[in-house]
Amino acid sequence: MTERKPRKDAARNRAAVLAAADELFVRCESPDDVTMADVATAAGVGKGTLFRAFGDRVGLVAALYAARLEPVEEAVETGPPPLGPGTPPRERVAALLDAILCFKLDNRGLALALEAAGRDSPYGAGHYERWHGLLRAVLEEVPGLDDGEFAAHALLAAVRADLVEHLAGRPGMSRERMRAQLADYTARVLGGSSARA
């Protein structure tokens, strides 16, 4: 059975909703401030349309997060080094973590909303499982590293949205300082020199 293409108005509504939600999350003080009613009003659609398209607020946040993350995922899957395949594992792990950190710094409200909206646990969320699986696979190529499974969890903990938000709000904690500290930490975990040194 072939998959039906969405109707043109449904595709247009979806694009309008994602654009409206994007703008609201950028402007909000806290991700909790953005409601489904706010998004529906800003997009010029009914709340029913919103719920049919995304299921609930978590579904909407996940769809917006995925749309913003597409360029990063494309670079990871098919791009050149240091993010893409073929990069030596230590360099690639550092580049992956740096890309995640930068993405979360650029999308702080949305990343917080998605991690806070985990229905059971943030570790069961699809985006977490994808990053963990990729990091684990790359870490297993690092000579002398015994447990890629645990190391991937530990390294991803350093780029959790709530920690990124906490650190970004501290005096003197610039974006570049956070990136340098993450690179140093990653290098120590992997037993090599910092890629950003």
Side-chain angles (χ1 to χ4, degrees), residues 10-34:
R12 192 172 41 251
N13 284 345
R14 182 178 177 85
V17 166
L18 289 175
D22 193 32
E23 187 172 329
L24 288 170
F25 275 106
V26 166
R27 290 192 335 234
C28 71
E29 283 283 318
S30 162
D32 294 335
D33 295 343
V34 179

Side-chain angles (χ1 to χ4, degrees), residues 68-195:
R68 285 191 186 175
L69 193 59
E70 273 180 21
V72 177
E73 290 182 329
E74 190 174 307
V76 167
E77 290 170 13
T78 60
L83 278 180
T87 307
R90 280 189 174 88
E91 289 176 43
R92 192 167 190 215
V93 168
L96 289 168
L97 290 166
D98 185 62
I100 295 169
L101 174 63
C102 289
F103 179 82
K104 288 188 178 179
L105 284 168
D106 292 340
N107 299 279
R108 285 165 54 185
L110 189 60
L112 278 172
L114 185 61
E115 287 186 11
R119 289 181 172 95
D120 298 318
S121 161
Y123 305 107
H127 67 94
Y128 184 88
E129 289 179 353
R130 280 193 307 277
W131 285 120
H132 181 267
L134 175 61
L135 273 176
R136 185 188 67 236
V138 177
L139 285 164
E140 286 170 355
E141 299 173 18
V142 175
L145 190 69
D146 294 332
D147 191 349
E149 170 92 10
F150 177 78
H153 283 301
L155 289 167
L156 284 171
V159 292
R160 277 185 51 107
D162 53 356
L163 178 60
V164 170
E165 181 70 12
H166 172 73
L167 293 175
R170 294 183 64 195
M173 185 58 79
S174 68
R175 178 188 189 95
E176 284 308 309
R177 184 171 178 208
M178 287 177 71
R179 293 177 71 196
Q181 288 180 336
L182 178 61
D184 289 343
Y185 172 70
T186 303
R188 285 196 302 274
V189 169
L190 301 182
S193 60
S194 170

